[in-house]
Amino acid sequence: MVADAEHRIAATLIDRGSFLLSRPFEPIQFTGDPEADALLNNLSQYPHAFVTACVMHRQVRAESAWIIPYKIAQRRGSFEFSLLSTLGLKDVLDLMAGPPPLHRFPETMAKNLHSALARIAGEYHGNASEIWAECPSSATIVRRFLEFDGVGPKIATMAANFLVRDFKIAVSDKVSIEISPDVHVRRVFTRLGLISEGASNEVLIYRAREMHPLYPGILDPASWEIGRSWCAPQRPDCEECYMARFCPTAPTKEAARRGDSE
Ligand code: SF4
């Protein structure tokens, strides 16, 4: 792809992304269960719910991980940190083991959860929101999540992305807010000619960094929206898509007319 075309694609995605991200906060539908989502969205009262749910993201569907704090609250009658911090490892293991178990790997995740609660108590004075308090850099937030047992770069950057992009947490820079390699974003990047068919997630991530080094994640919302609204896996609606004028995959008007008449 020629640099000029790439530049215009990047500028359009960034403009639209800026608009989408400037909208006021709306509660996030993490699980589809209103009560579980209310707990996770309540960052001021239960910041440890969001943090511990992130720790649970390991080889299970996202919804199954997000709902674990709510299920623990149901089993213990509360998700107050003052109560959770009194639990020993055996208590946490019993909670995770069920029946039914709350996670595919109840023993490992019980250890990670117990250790996360101890880290929040010790490092953050029992208030998990200290992880993102006082306008830290985006890298600081990612690094602080990486320090929790069982959390790798993918989950740490996911957590930072939610905090900055969705919860509108103030940060001093957005360099470490990455694009999320979701299925819609991958398809749109491929069809726009920004990555090759079958490119790895790393290629996608570095492509976004190349296009906007100071805030790679800004390319995410517009790409996701295009993927959900027009760029369907089968029969993309290129006539309605605002990227059609730049997109190498979109049929030209003449080709579209020929297709219509065939
Ligand atoms: S113009 Fe068509 S192929 Fe290109 S991004 Fe839009 S919907 Fe997808």
Side-chain angles (χ1 to χ4, degrees), residues 191-192 226 230-231 236-238 241 243-244 247 249-250:
R191 287 181 176 164
L192 288 174
I226 292 167
W230 305 290
C231 201
D237 188 0
C238 300
C241 176
M243 295 305 286
C247 180
T249 308

Side-chain angles (χ1 to χ4, degrees), residues 1-12 193-194 207 210-211:
M1 176 182 290
V2 294
D4 189 41
E6 183 183 314
H7 181 76
R8 282 181 294 164
I9 288 173
T12 307
L194 298 168
R207 186 55 144 156
E210 232 183 306
M211 291 164 71

Side-chain angles (χ1 to χ4, degrees), residues 60-75:
V60 288
R61 286 169 53 241
E63 293 80 5
S64 307
W66 287 122
I67 207 161
I68 289 175
Y70 177 63
K71 291 202 166 165
I72 290 176
Q74 284 183 314
R75 286 182 183 180

Side-chain angles (χ1 to χ4, degrees), residues 180-191:
S180 307
D182 129 304
V183 62
H184 298 301
V185 173
R186 290 185 60 82
R187 187 170 60 253
V188 170
F189 260 55
T190 306
R191 287 181 176 164

Side-chain angles (χ1 to χ4, degrees), residues 13-244:
L13 293 176
I14 290 165
D15 274 358
R16 180 67 183 165
S18 303
F19 167 74
L20 293 171
L21 291 172
S22 69
R23 294 184 301 185
F25 169 73
E26 278 186 22
I28 305 161
Q29 291 198 2
F30 289 102
T31 67
D33 179 311
E35 290 185 10
D37 288 344
L39 177 67
L40 293 163
N41 277 284
N42 190 349
L43 276 196
S44 54
Q45 207 177 342
Y46 297 100
H48 51 283
F50 174 77
V51 174
T52 52
C54 290
V55 172
M56 296 294 107
H57 275 67
R58 193 148 159 197
Q59 294 184 46
V60 288
R61 286 169 53 241
E63 293 80 5
S64 307
W66 287 122
I67 207 161
I68 289 175
Y70 177 63
K71 291 202 166 165
I72 290 176
Q74 284 183 314
R75 286 182 183 180
R76 289 300 299 204
S78 161
F79 207 73
E80 293 298 332
F81 192 78
S82 53
L83 177 134
L84 297 174
S85 61
T86 63
L87 301 177
L89 178 56
K90 170 81 170 57
D91 302 318
V92 179
L93 186 52
D94 288 346
L95 274 172
M96 291 296 289
L102 296 184
H103 195 281
R104 191 172 158 202
F105 306 111
E107 204 167 318
T108 306
M109 299 317 282
K111 284 182 191 156
N112 289 348
L113 176 55
H114 184 253
S115 144
L117 294 170
R119 171 164 280 279
I120 293 168
E123 196 75 21
Y124 301 109
H125 313 98
N127 181 359
S129 71
E130 287 189 13
I131 294 171
W132 52 84
E134 299 183 10
C135 200
S137 71
S138 53
T140 299
I141 297 182
V142 173
R143 189 260 303 159
R144 286 174 174 166
F145 272 91
L146 281 171
E147 287 174 340
F148 283 87
D149 287 343
V151 173
K154 191 171 163 201
I155 298 309
T157 51
M158 174 201 78
N161 285 3
F162 269 118
L163 288 167
V164 175
R165 293 200 312 222
D166 298 286
F167 285 112
K168 320 284 182 195
I169 295 294
V171 280
S172 61
D173 70 73
K174 292 175 179 166
V175 172
S176 297
I177 304 301
E178 305 280 8
I179 198 162
S180 307
D182 129 304
V183 62
H184 298 301
V185 173
R186 290 185 60 82
R187 187 170 60 253
V188 170
F189 260 55
T190 306
R191 287 181 176 164
L192 288 174
L194 298 168
I195 59 172
S196 322
E197 190 78 46
S200 66
N201 286 344
E202 286 72 28
V203 169
L204 170 58
I205 287 167
Y206 275 89
R207 186 55 144 156
R209 286 185 191 172
E210 232 183 306
M211 291 164 71
H212 201 306
L214 294 179
Y215 188 2
I218 201 169
L219 292 153
D220 201 321
S223 308
W224 190 86
E225 180 191 53
I226 292 167
R228 277 294 292 257
S229 307
W230 305 290
C231 201
Q234 314 292 334
R235 296 176 176 272
D237 188 0
C238 300
E239 275 196 28
E240 290 300 318
C241 176
Y242 64 86
M243 295 305 286

